[in-house]
Amino acid sequence: MTQYRIEVADAHAHRFLVSLRVDKPQPRQQLSLPVWIPGSYLVREFARHLSPLKARQGNRAIRVTPLDKATWELDTKGTQPLTVEYEVYAFDTSVRAAFLDAHRGFFNGTSVFLKVHGFEDQPQAVKIAGLPKGWHVATALPAIKVNAQGIGDYLAPDYDALVDHPVELGTFWRGEFTARGVRHEFVVAGATADLDGQKLLDDTRLICEAQINFWHGRKKAPFEHYVFMLNVLEDGYGGLEHRQSTALICGRKDLPRVGRPLNKEAYTTLLGLISHEYFHTWNVKRLKPAEFAPYDYTQENHTRMLWFFEGFTSYYDDQFLLRTGLIDAVTYLKLLGKTVNQVLATPGRLSYSVAQASFDAWTRYYRPDENTANATVSYYTKGSLVALALDLALRELPASNKVHPSLDGVMQRLWQLGRPIQHRDVAQALASEAGQPPLISTSKPDTPLVDAWQAVLDRWTETCEELPLQALLDKLGIAWSSKAAPLPQQWGLRIQEAGGGAKVQAIMRCSLAEQIGLSVGDELLALDGWRVKKAEDLIAWHDAARAQALVVSRDQRVLTLTVPALASGATNKPGKQAKGQATPAPASELIALTLADVAQAPDKVARRQAWLQA
């Protein structure tokens, strides 16, 4: 058995002390620390936060030899127990690593627990000790012997489980509820005293019950204890899924508070995050891509299927808010329209498939820069629209036993496989659920059913073909309308407002902004002789009927650029595009989705009601 002890070494210096004991080490025992954490696809080099390792057998010091950036070898003698000690610097407020100060502690195992090579599949014991007075522990790790504060001994069945159970430490708010026989804890660090914890628990319970029912029907969930760990900051957003818990971040404005008006939009965003991470309990933690079985903690684990595991989860997160009555159909369509607009405002969607974006998440999505919108597409947003398109395509097919095919059935078929999946498995599940070729298929009539669905799936994930969302939504009685986008978006600009000025943050490919010579980092000073301090000033001074002077500051130089007159009221005139590349459509419009009048179309009424419960 591998045994760890973790305690607070110095809260003000943000340091944990970790000791590791191996009862019967190998002659040349290797240790390593993961370079990434599953669910966050970037090599983060956690080992940079470790102090030098100190090892001994009894009273004899053992030499520690580094083999690479995150692996060490120890030349042990005999079978005498090996002890290794090191400190971990912990000052990352995200959900991905470790944090410690005088008020709160948090860690993921991938940041603090060295893997003992050759012993990964054996039980891993953890003692949490040496905490400040009054601190408590929250974790889904199985407890062996702990006190009322949760301080004491825990046991994971193997290393994968050990590092998949984050731990929250401190003086947090705590509540719990039961959903379908499963005990759920919710801990909140950093909340104000007037937190409406009961509302947070009640609303989260609805989500959990609905999702357990979705995956298991009347059967039991594959876990008996689940923990939500929410860290509340002045402003923040994020989450990371684990097999029996999730680490979350939100802003204080997002929380419900007793006696105060609820910020409905912000709270809906928080509930959507909770729904998203809970759905991952199944989709990616248990139903996972073949490339993740098993995880390789030493390097990138590439898969072309994040559009499914993140994108489909992004589709279902707000769907469950709708299904539980936490939002209505009108609000849901607004959220869906926001996603559509985010994708349409990304020129990279026309040159980078969502499958390629999935594969390159490690170097593109998780390393964003001013050109990211031109260089890739989000597998979260585009993937969620692929899920939407497939769901609607299934729902327009004839019903079997009075039930229309749906994406719900596809997900349940994939779950029942009981193994990691590949792209072809999704096509097979679509074919089995539909029982006939998709109406949007371009395959020959004699094409095998699974191949017809595979062709559609390939078009929507492996190519840059636009999704037929407007046509599919119309068949369910959802109206698709558009209006002019804000002027910066029409020009192809993303602007950052700070310090009483407006700076260019990003420029879209083939946009008017690119055509007139704007550059990332330019500070907008004046348009047509009038001072520009914020994006709204561009609207105030712009006149599309004539050419205007735009004054900018670039690297301390003041430059004058010309905004041309735009014919016929157009606001975005694409520039030249490199040979062989698709020409991005100017994102000059915003899409709105609304409920159309379908009173005279009973088929649309029935299908829309089944999809939206409206």
Side-chain angles (χ1 to χ4, degrees):
M1 179 185 294
T2 304
Q3 302 169 63
Y4 302 86
R5 175 188 172 97
I6 184 167
E7 59 188 290
V8 172
D10 188 334
H12 296 296
H14 319 295
R15 292 183 179 276
F16 286 109
L17 174 63
V18 182
S19 62
L20 163 64
R21 176 187 168 96
V22 184
D23 288 336
K24 296 181 179 180
Q26 297 174 346
R28 291 186 177 274
Q29 183 62 63
Q30 291 189 5
L31 310 174
S32 65
L33 193 71
V35 303
W36 69 290
I37 181 169
S40 184
Y41 306 106
L42 177 67
V43 172
R44 298 186 181 275
E45 313 292 16
F46 297 124
R48 74 189 191 275
H49 295 308
L50 268 61
S51 68
L53 309 186
K54 297 178 181 179
R56 68 180 187 276
Q57 283 182 295
N59 295 323
R60 186 172 67 87
I62 299 297
R63 183 179 178 182
V64 179
T65 303
L67 300 182
D68 58 35
K69 62 185 179 181
T71 308
W72 299 263
E73 186 173 81
L74 288 71
D75 190 5
T76 62
K77 303 295 183 182
T79 59
Q80 191 174 7
L82 170 68
T83 300
V84 181
E85 289 188 349
Y86 53 96
E87 288 188 346
V88 180
Y89 176 71
F91 200 58
D92 186 332
T93 58
S94 77
V95 296
R96 299 178 292 264
F99 177 84
L100 179 64
D101 69 6
H103 304 286
R104 173 182 178 259
F106 171 82
F107 63 83
N108 286 289
T110 45
S111 292
V112 300
F113 295 138
L114 290 167
K115 180 174 73 171
V116 184
H117 293 210
F119 297 85
E120 302 95 326
D121 296 331
Q122 294 187 14
Q124 316 278 311
V126 176
K127 178 181 285 293
I128 300 174
L131 302 185
K133 185 178 180 180
W135 277 29
H136 290 242
V137 178
T139 181
L141 266 172
I144 301 301
K145 184 179 181 181
V146 300
N147 65 16
Q149 287 75 44
I151 299 170
D153 299 322
Y154 295 84
L155 185 66
D158 52 45
Y159 185 80
D160 275 347
L162 173 68
V163 298
D164 205 14
H165 287 87
V167 177
E168 180 74 31
L169 309 167
T171 55
F172 39 75
W173 178 91
R174 192 174 208 153
E176 67 175 66
F177 59 86
T178 300
R180 288 290 312 277
V182 177
R183 182 169 71 93
H184 289 70
E185 288 184 86
F186 208 126
V187 299
V188 183
T192 55
D194 58 357
L195 167 69
D196 190 345
Q198 193 58 53
K199 179 173 179 55
L200 185 62
L201 292 175
D202 290 344
D203 292 344
T204 302
R205 178 179 53 79
L206 292 175
I207 294 169
C208 295
E209 288 178 342
Q211 292 193 14
I212 294 173
N213 289 339
F214 175 89
W215 289 103
H216 300 289
R218 296 186 178 184
K219 296 180 181 178
K220 291 183 63 177
F223 51 92
E224 296 181 354
H225 179 208
Y226 190 93
V227 183
F228 292 95
M229 304 174 191
L230 176 60
N231 183 29
V232 184
L233 305 175
E234 178 183 1
D235 190 26
Y237 176 85
L240 188 63
E241 69 276 2
H242 298 275
R243 66 181 66 187
Q244 286 179 232
S245 57
T246 182
L248 308 165
I249 291 176
C250 77
R252 289 190 178 89
K253 68 180 185 305
D254 304 337
L255 290 172
R257 299 168 66 183
V258 176
R260 294 177 179 266
L262 180 67
N263 185 331
K264 292 184 179 180
E265 182 176 353
Y267 185 55
T268 296
T269 300
L270 172 59
L271 291 178
L273 176 64
I274 290 169
S275 179
H276 182 99
E277 301 303 338
Y278 195 69
F279 197 80
H280 271 317
T281 307
W282 294 269
N283 195 36
V284 88
K285 296 310 298 183
R286 290 172 171 81
L287 176 65
K288 62 179 59 178
E291 295 87 350
F292 288 1
Y295 293 122
D296 181 350
Y297 296 107
T298 68
Q299 62 182 346
E300 296 92 337
N301 289 209
H302 292 285
T303 175
R304 298 180 71 86
M305 289 189 67
L306 292 182
W307 56 266
F308 177 87
F309 293 99
E310 291 292 354
F312 281 38
T313 300
S314 296
Y315 173 64
Y316 275 107
D317 54 23
D318 287 338
Q319 266 281 321
F320 276 102
L321 302 191
L322 176 67
R323 296 180 188 193
T324 54
L326 292 169
I327 60 174
D328 58 20
V330 172
T331 302
Y332 174 72
L333 291 177
K334 286 182 179 179
L335 293 171
L336 197 58
K338 182 179 179 181
T339 301
V340 170
N341 285 314
Q342 288 174 338
V343 174
L344 293 180
T346 306
R349 78 188 191 282
L350 296 177
S351 59
Y352 227 70
S353 74
V354 72
Q356 188 64 41
S358 299
F359 189 86
D360 288 342
W362 302 83
T363 54
R364 293 187 184 240
Y365 184 82
Y366 274 90
R367 288 181 176 169
D369 57 29
E370 69 281 354
N371 192 51
T372 295
N374 299 313
T376 190
V377 66
S378 168
Y379 48 79
Y380 284 88
T381 53
K382 179 66 181 292
S384 72
L385 297 186
V386 171
L388 168 66
L390 289 171
D391 198 9
L392 300 186
L394 288 165
R395 289 174 183 273
E396 70 175 346
L397 295 175
S400 176
N401 295 323
K402 297 183 179 181
V403 177
H404 285 279
S406 71
L407 194 63
D408 290 10
V410 172
M411 299 301 290
Q412 289 151 9
R413 290 173 187 275
L414 290 170
W415 171 255
Q416 290 165 8
L417 293 177
R419 58 169 173 78
I421 64 170
Q422 301 180 37
H423 194 277
R424 183 70 171 181
D425 293 315
V426 181
Q428 181 64 65
L430 285 163
S432 298
E433 175 69 9
Q436 65 178 80
L439 301 182
I440 34 78
S441 175
T442 57
S443 301
K444 296 179 180 179
D446 58 347
T447 300
L449 185 57
V450 66
D451 290 339
W453 280 100
Q454 182 75 64
V456 171
L457 200 58
D458 286 344
R459 279 164 43 204
W460 291 353
T461 63
E462 294 285 352
T463 79
C464 300
E465 178 179 319
E466 295 278 42
L467 301 172
L469 294 177
Q470 185 172 1
L472 289 168
L473 287 163
D474 178 70
K475 293 179 180 179
L476 268 71
I478 305 300
W480 175 295
S481 60
S482 62
K483 65 178 181 179
L487 190 67
Q489 182 174 325
Q490 294 180 31
W491 284 17
L493 277 178
R494 292 183 184 175
I495 295 175
Q496 181 181 29
E497 297 176 0
K503 279 193 173 183
V504 177
Q505 191 175 34
I507 294 177
M508 301 301 105
R509 190 75 174 94
C510 297
S511 64
L512 177 64
E514 186 181 68
Q515 178 188 346
I516 66 179
L518 278 168
S519 180
V520 170
D522 285 354
E523 182 181 0
L524 306 180
L525 298 179
L527 177 62
D528 202 33
W530 293 93
R531 181 75 170 97
V532 173
K533 293 185 177 181
K534 52 187 182 297
E536 286 80 357
D537 292 338
L538 290 178
I539 301 171
W541 313 134
H542 182 239
D543 184 353
R546 58 187 177 86
Q548 294 178 293
L550 177 64
V551 181
V552 304
S553 173
R554 180 183 303 166
D555 191 26
Q556 294 187 317
R557 296 181 179 182
V558 176
L559 307 175
T560 301
L561 309 176
T562 301
V563 181
L566 301 175
S568 304
T571 55
N572 196 342
K573 186 178 180 181
K576 294 181 179 179
Q577 178 73 319
K579 185 177 180 180
Q581 291 183 332
T583 301
S588 58
E589 295 182 336
L590 292 177
I591 302 303
L593 303 178
T594 55
L595 298 170
D597 183 1
V598 293
Q600 305 305 315
D603 285 347
K604 289 185 177 182
V605 171
R607 290 176 184 174
R608 190 171 78 183
Q609 286 179 337
W611 180 52
L612 293 179
Q613 294 84 48

